[in-house]
Amino acid sequence: MPKAAYFHIPFCVNICHYCDFNKVFLKGQPVDEYLTAMEREMFNTIERFPYESMDTLFIGGGTPTALSAEQLDVFLSSVSRHFPVSQAKEYTVEANPEQTTAEKLEVLKKHGVNRLSIGAQAFQPSLLKELGRTHNASHVKKTVEEAKAAGITNLSIDLMFGLPGQTMEMFKESVEAAMELDVPHISSYSLQVEPKTVFYIRSQKGQLNLPAQELEAEMFEYLISELKKHGIAQYEISNFAKPGYESLHNLQYWENNEYYGIGAGSHSYVNGVRRVNAGPLKKYMNLIENTDFPYTEENHLSMHEKMEEEMFMGLRKRVGVSCAVFKKRYGVSLMDVFGEQISKLKQNGLLEQEGDMIKLTSRGVLLGNEVFSEFIGVL
């Protein structure tokens, strides 16, 4: 039974060159009608799949803070009508620095939002322009200061590495700038060139100058080491936090727990079934209007698929996968199911066992995808 819910706001003032999430330009879109459709999906979903309690709520995008203060107020009010906001341990909103005003932050705080995920990505004007971002370093600093002033102190900064034209010095500069903001959480991802993005089109034309893989690995190792010096520990491959500030919502995914997904293009995992919502706004709203639910795909997971997901999601966490939890969930021993793969990865120095936990070694963290692939399609 889900204890987490994700809400998707697909609107963006501009489209970033690397982003393959479901999104549309804000201008001219039926924003109010879309928010109404989302509320109807909330009502129908909870009526069909009731919850007992909710631990985390997460509003992502797109750009949630592209909504006006009034639209945010309307939307967050609708969330409160269907989900126990006051009960949530963590209530996160993704924020673009240049669109997150003090007025909008007051609206977020009024509705119980207690965590902000701020899309900084980099701090150099040249890199931000390369990414298609429209903010600058001062916007990030202002957003952090105004969020703290509004009483939202659980803040996360997104950083990217392996970017076109990015040097090691640039990345060090960005990490230092993020540390100066004094936030308790950092999410940092290497650039993935995804289909249907500006970067993909440029790469197909041979016009994307990416750092060498060795330099990208050097950036990642520097990140881990430098954040550790500041008391910010790596708790998942791409996520770092001071003690007590780990993302509770994302841990729901990595621990293979169930969750609701509300909005165009959202994914949900309820009663052992993974569902995908229609992405295009018109199709999403038409499905809500005519069938009550916007699903375009339903995948009923087999026990084997669930066990595979337990491994390649759970191993992303630095603490790893618990043998006892695996046995309790699936009724079989982890080593009976995946003993061959685990032994091979141990021999290769990619996995290790510490008490009840099977986890990545330091080398395994750098070669995570190689490890995860060992558990896919083997049953």
Side-chain angles (χ1 to χ4, degrees), residues 100-102 105-106 116 118 137-153 155 157 180-183:
T100 307
T101 63
L105 287 165
E106 288 297 337
L116 219 58
I118 303 166
S138 65
H139 287 130
V140 180
K141 184 179 180 182
K142 184 180 180 185
T143 298
V144 169
E145 290 173 348
E146 291 182 342
K148 290 178 179 179
I152 303 174
T153 56
L155 304 174
I157 294 287
E180 288 175 358
L181 295 172
D182 189 26
V183 297

mmCIF file of all heavy atoms in Angstrom, residues 100-102 105-106 116 118 137-153 155 157 180-183:
data_model
loop_
_atom_site.group_PDB
_atom_site.id
_atom_site.type_symbol
_atom_site.label_atom_id
_atom_site.label_comp_id
_atom_site.label_asym_id
_atom_site.label_seq_id
_atom_site.Cartn_x
_atom_site.Cartn_y
_atom_site.Cartn_z
ATOM 1 N N THR A 100 11.375 31.204 -8.609
ATOM 2 C CA THR A 100 10.942 30.949 -7.232
ATOM 3 C C THR A 100 11.013 32.255 -6.441
ATOM 4 O O THR A 100 12.058 32.617 -5.909
ATOM 5 C CB THR A 100 11.822 29.863 -6.588
ATOM 6 O OG1 THR A 100 11.833 28.709 -7.441
ATOM 7 C CG2 THR A 100 11.282 29.459 -5.233
ATOM 8 N N THR A 101 9.890 32.945 -6.388
ATOM 9 C CA THR A 101 9.835 34.239 -5.710
ATOM 10 C C THR A 101 9.513 34.059 -4.227
ATOM 11 O O THR A 101 9.039 33.012 -3.791
ATOM 12 C CB THR A 101 8.750 35.119 -6.335
ATOM 13 O OG1 THR A 101 7.470 34.469 -6.129
ATOM 14 C CG2 THR A 101 8.980 35.311 -7.836
ATOM 15 N N ALA A 102 9.755 35.122 -3.471
ATOM 16 C CA ALA A 102 9.423 35.112 -2.045
ATOM 17 C C ALA A 102 7.928 34.861 -1.850
ATOM 18 O O ALA A 102 7.513 34.149 -0.925
ATOM 19 C CB ALA A 102 9.845 36.428 -1.397
ATOM 20 N N LEU A 105 7.252 31.183 -2.300
ATOM 21 C CA LEU A 105 7.766 30.440 -1.146
ATOM 22 C C LEU A 105 6.822 30.543 0.042
ATOM 23 O O LEU A 105 6.629 29.567 0.783
ATOM 24 C CB LEU A 105 9.157 30.963 -0.777
ATOM 25 C CG LEU A 105 10.276 30.564 -1.748
ATOM 26 C CD1 LEU A 105 11.528 31.408 -1.509
ATOM 27 C CD2 LEU A 105 10.601 29.081 -1.617
ATOM 28 N N GLU A 106 6.214 31.699 0.228
ATOM 29 C CA GLU A 106 5.230 31.864 1.308
ATOM 30 C C GLU A 106 4.018 30.961 1.076
ATOM 31 O O GLU A 106 3.462 30.388 2.018
ATOM 32 C CB GLU A 106 4.794 33.323 1.418
ATOM 33 C CG GLU A 106 5.855 34.249 1.985
ATOM 34 C CD GLU A 106 6.242 33.919 3.421
ATOM 35 O OE1 GLU A 106 5.437 33.295 4.142
ATOM 36 O OE2 GLU A 106 7.366 34.282 3.827
ATOM 37 N N LEU A 116 12.733 21.804 -0.312
ATOM 38 C CA LEU A 116 12.855 22.367 -1.653
ATOM 39 C C LEU A 116 14.032 21.701 -2.351
ATOM 40 O O LEU A 116 15.115 21.562 -1.768
ATOM 41 C CB LEU A 116 13.103 23.875 -1.547
ATOM 42 C CG LEU A 116 12.422 24.797 -2.565
ATOM 43 C CD1 LEU A 116 10.913 24.639 -2.515
ATOM 44 C CD2 LEU A 116 12.819 26.244 -2.278
ATOM 45 N N ILE A 118 16.339 22.419 -5.442
ATOM 46 C CA ILE A 118 16.651 23.583 -6.272
ATOM 47 C C ILE A 118 17.568 23.193 -7.428
ATOM 48 O O ILE A 118 18.669 22.681 -7.216
ATOM 49 C CB ILE A 118 17.311 24.689 -5.419
ATOM 50 C CG1 ILE A 118 16.382 25.073 -4.254
ATOM 51 C CG2 ILE A 118 17.640 25.911 -6.266
ATOM 52 C CD1 ILE A 118 17.057 25.894 -3.177
ATOM 53 N N ALA A 137 24.028 32.369 -10.927
ATOM 54 C CA ALA A 137 24.409 31.985 -9.566
ATOM 55 C C ALA A 137 23.701 32.829 -8.512
ATOM 56 O O ALA A 137 23.336 32.328 -7.441
ATOM 57 C CB ALA A 137 25.922 32.099 -9.405
ATOM 58 N N SER A 138 23.468 34.106 -8.804
ATOM 59 C CA SER A 138 22.805 34.978 -7.813
ATOM 60 C C SER A 138 21.361 34.555 -7.576
ATOM 61 O O SER A 138 20.834 34.701 -6.471
ATOM 62 C CB SER A 138 22.868 36.436 -8.265
ATOM 63 O OG SER A 138 22.132 36.634 -9.454
ATOM 64 N N HIS A 139 20.712 34.013 -8.621
ATOM 65 C CA HIS A 139 19.337 33.502 -8.447
ATOM 66 C C HIS A 139 19.323 32.347 -7.448
ATOM 67 O O HIS A 139 18.407 32.235 -6.618
ATOM 68 C CB HIS A 139 18.770 33.000 -9.781
ATOM 69 C CG HIS A 139 18.411 34.092 -10.742
ATOM 70 N ND1 HIS A 139 18.830 34.099 -12.047
ATOM 71 C CD2 HIS A 139 17.659 35.205 -10.595
ATOM 72 C CE1 HIS A 139 18.352 35.164 -12.661
ATOM 73 N NE2 HIS A 139 17.644 35.855 -11.802
ATOM 74 N N VAL A 140 20.315 31.469 -7.552
ATOM 75 C CA VAL A 140 20.375 30.310 -6.650
ATOM 76 C C VAL A 140 20.548 30.783 -5.209
ATOM 77 O O VAL A 140 19.848 30.336 -4.299
ATOM 78 C CB VAL A 140 21.525 29.357 -7.047
ATOM 79 C CG1 VAL A 140 21.573 28.162 -6.090
ATOM 80 C CG2 VAL A 140 21.368 28.875 -8.479
ATOM 81 N N LYS A 141 21.503 31.692 -5.020
ATOM 82 C CA LYS A 141 21.760 32.215 -3.677
ATOM 83 C C LYS A 141 20.508 32.889 -3.101
ATOM 84 O O LYS A 141 20.146 32.668 -1.934
ATOM 85 C CB LYS A 141 22.917 33.213 -3.723
ATOM 86 C CG LYS A 141 23.312 33.741 -2.352
ATOM 87 C CD LYS A 141 24.476 34.716 -2.444
ATOM 88 C CE LYS A 141 24.860 35.236 -1.061
ATOM 89 N NZ LYS A 141 25.958 36.227 -1.131
ATOM 90 N N LYS A 142 19.831 33.670 -3.923
ATOM 91 C CA LYS A 142 18.629 34.370 -3.464
ATOM 92 C C LYS A 142 17.528 33.381 -3.079
ATOM 93 O O LYS A 142 16.851 33.551 -2.053
ATOM 94 C CB LYS A 142 18.132 35.305 -4.568
ATOM 95 C CG LYS A 142 16.937 36.161 -4.152
ATOM 96 C CD LYS A 142 16.486 37.069 -5.290
ATOM 97 C CE LYS A 142 15.282 37.918 -4.860
ATOM 98 N NZ LYS A 142 14.741 38.720 -5.975
ATOM 99 N N THR A 143 17.342 32.338 -3.897
ATOM 100 C CA THR A 143 16.314 31.332 -3.592
ATOM 101 C C THR A 143 16.595 30.645 -2.268
ATOM 102 O O THR A 143 15.687 30.439 -1.448
ATOM 103 C CB THR A 143 16.228 30.288 -4.723
ATOM 104 O OG1 THR A 143 15.838 30.947 -5.929
ATOM 105 C CG2 THR A 143 15.217 29.205 -4.408
ATOM 106 N N VAL A 144 17.857 30.278 -2.044
ATOM 107 C CA VAL A 144 18.230 29.627 -0.781
ATOM 108 C C VAL A 144 17.956 30.563 0.399
ATOM 109 O O VAL A 144 17.360 30.160 1.407
ATOM 110 C CB VAL A 144 19.713 29.202 -0.811
ATOM 111 C CG1 VAL A 144 20.182 28.770 0.586
ATOM 112 C CG2 VAL A 144 19.913 28.061 -1.803
ATOM 113 N N GLU A 145 18.368 31.820 0.285
ATOM 114 C CA GLU A 145 18.169 32.776 1.376
ATOM 115 C C GLU A 145 16.694 33.016 1.654
ATOM 116 O O GLU A 145 16.264 33.055 2.817
ATOM 117 C CB GLU A 145 18.865 34.100 1.027
ATOM 118 C CG GLU A 145 20.391 34.003 1.053
ATOM 119 C CD GLU A 145 21.067 35.272 0.552
ATOM 120 O OE1 GLU A 145 20.362 36.139 -0.027
ATOM 121 O OE2 GLU A 145 22.293 35.405 0.731
ATOM 122 N N GLU A 146 15.889 33.169 0.576
ATOM 123 C CA GLU A 146 14.463 33.437 0.762
ATOM 124 C C GLU A 146 13.712 32.222 1.277
ATOM 125 O O GLU A 146 12.753 32.355 2.044
ATOM 126 C CB GLU A 146 13.854 33.948 -0.550
ATOM 127 C CG GLU A 146 14.349 35.340 -0.920
ATOM 128 C CD GLU A 146 13.723 35.905 -2.183
ATOM 129 O OE1 GLU A 146 13.150 35.111 -2.982
ATOM 130 O OE2 GLU A 146 13.796 37.132 -2.382
ATOM 131 N N ALA A 147 14.152 31.025 0.870
ATOM 132 C CA ALA A 147 13.522 29.804 1.387
ATOM 133 C C ALA A 147 13.766 29.685 2.890
ATOM 134 O O ALA A 147 12.840 29.391 3.662
ATOM 135 C CB ALA A 147 14.071 28.580 0.663
ATOM 136 N N LYS A 148 15.004 29.925 3.300
ATOM 137 C CA LYS A 148 15.322 29.867 4.734
ATOM 138 C C LYS A 148 14.529 30.912 5.506
ATOM 139 O O LYS A 148 14.014 30.637 6.598
ATOM 140 C CB LYS A 148 16.824 30.066 4.949
ATOM 141 C CG LYS A 148 17.679 28.892 4.479
ATOM 142 C CD LYS A 148 19.163 29.173 4.665
ATOM 143 C CE LYS A 148 20.021 28.003 4.216
ATOM 144 N NZ LYS A 148 21.492 28.277 4.371
ATOM 145 N N ALA A 149 14.408 32.111 4.918
ATOM 146 C CA ALA A 149 13.638 33.184 5.568
ATOM 147 C C ALA A 149 12.169 32.807 5.709
ATOM 148 O O ALA A 149 11.500 33.208 6.669
ATOM 149 C CB ALA A 149 13.778 34.482 4.780
ATOM 150 N N ALA A 150 11.657 32.023 4.742
ATOM 151 C CA ALA A 150 10.262 31.584 4.787
ATOM 152 C C ALA A 150 10.059 30.407 5.738
ATOM 153 O O ALA A 150 8.926 29.983 5.971
ATOM 154 C CB ALA A 150 9.790 31.204 3.384
ATOM 155 N N GLY A 151 11.163 29.863 6.256
ATOM 156 C CA GLY A 151 11.064 28.744 7.196
ATOM 157 C C GLY A 151 11.217 27.382 6.557
ATOM 158 O O GLY A 151 10.964 26.361 7.198
ATOM 159 N N ILE A 152 11.650 27.354 5.295
ATOM 160 C CA ILE A 152 11.919 26.065 4.625
ATOM 161 C C ILE A 152 13.435 25.883 4.614
ATOM 162 O O ILE A 152 14.148 26.490 3.808
ATOM 163 C CB ILE A 152 11.356 26.044 3.193
ATOM 164 C CG1 ILE A 152 9.849 26.341 3.205
ATOM 165 C CG2 ILE A 152 11.615 24.680 2.537
ATOM 166 C CD1 ILE A 152 9.231 26.475 1.816
ATOM 167 N N THR A 153 13.929 25.063 5.519
ATOM 168 C CA THR A 153 15.382 24.927 5.698
ATOM 169 C C THR A 153 15.930 23.599 5.196
ATOM 170 O O THR A 153 17.145 23.430 5.100
ATOM 171 C CB THR A 153 15.758 25.091 7.175
ATOM 172 O OG1 THR A 153 15.023 24.136 7.952
ATOM 173 C CG2 THR A 153 15.415 26.498 7.661
ATOM 174 N N LEU A 155 16.843 21.915 2.388
ATOM 175 C CA LEU A 155 17.079 22.320 1.004
ATOM 176 C C LEU A 155 18.068 21.389 0.324
ATOM 177 O O LEU A 155 19.042 20.937 0.937
ATOM 178 C CB LEU A 155 17.614 23.752 0.956
ATOM 179 C CG LEU A 155 16.752 24.818 1.643
ATOM 180 C CD1 LEU A 155 17.468 26.159 1.636
ATOM 181 C CD2 LEU A 155 15.397 24.938 0.948
ATOM 182 N N ILE A 157 20.364 20.952 -3.404
ATOM 183 C CA ILE A 157 20.870 21.582 -4.620
ATOM 184 C C ILE A 157 21.214 20.488 -5.632
ATOM 185 O O ILE A 157 21.881 19.510 -5.292
ATOM 186 C CB ILE A 157 22.138 22.414 -4.325
ATOM 187 C CG1 ILE A 157 21.811 23.602 -3.423
ATOM 188 C CG2 ILE A 157 22.804 22.884 -5.613
ATOM 189 C CD1 ILE A 157 21.065 24.716 -4.090
ATOM 190 N N GLU A 180 29.058 26.755 -0.057
ATOM 191 C CA GLU A 180 28.911 28.083 0.553
ATOM 192 C C GLU A 180 27.458 28.427 0.850
ATOM 193 O O GLU A 180 27.169 29.270 1.701
ATOM 194 C CB GLU A 180 29.533 29.143 -0.360
ATOM 195 C CG GLU A 180 31.057 29.102 -0.390
ATOM 196 C CD GLU A 180 31.651 30.076 -1.391
ATOM 197 O OE1 GLU A 180 30.860 30.764 -2.104
ATOM 198 O OE2 GLU A 180 32.883 30.145 -1.480
ATOM 199 N N LEU A 181 26.537 27.756 0.173
ATOM 200 C CA LEU A 181 25.111 28.008 0.395
ATOM 201 C C LEU A 181 24.601 27.347 1.679
ATOM 202 O O LEU A 181 23.491 27.621 2.121
ATOM 203 C CB LEU A 181 24.296 27.508 -0.808
ATOM 204 C CG LEU A 181 24.548 28.246 -2.123
ATOM 205 C CD1 LEU A 181 23.837 27.532 -3.278
ATOM 206 C CD2 LEU A 181 24.079 29.695 -2.028
ATOM 207 N N ASP A 182 25.411 26.433 2.233
ATOM 208 C CA ASP A 182 25.081 25.780 3.497
ATOM 209 C C ASP A 182 23.718 25.079 3.441
ATOM 210 O O ASP A 182 22.803 25.385 4.203
ATOM 211 C CB ASP A 182 25.110 26.782 4.655
ATOM 212 C CG ASP A 182 24.995 26.102 6.026
ATOM 213 O OD1 ASP A 182 25.386 24.928 6.123
ATOM 214 O OD2 ASP A 182 24.506 26.745 6.965
ATOM 215 N N VAL A 183 23.599 24.144 2.496
ATOM 216 C CA VAL A 183 22.391 23.320 2.395
ATOM 217 C C VAL A 183 22.736 21.899 2.846
ATOM 218 O O VAL A 183 23.877 21.470 2.726
ATOM 219 C CB VAL A 183 21.824 23.307 0.956
ATOM 220 C CG1 VAL A 183 21.383 24.700 0.538
ATOM 221 C CG2 VAL A 183 22.842 22.745 -0.036
#
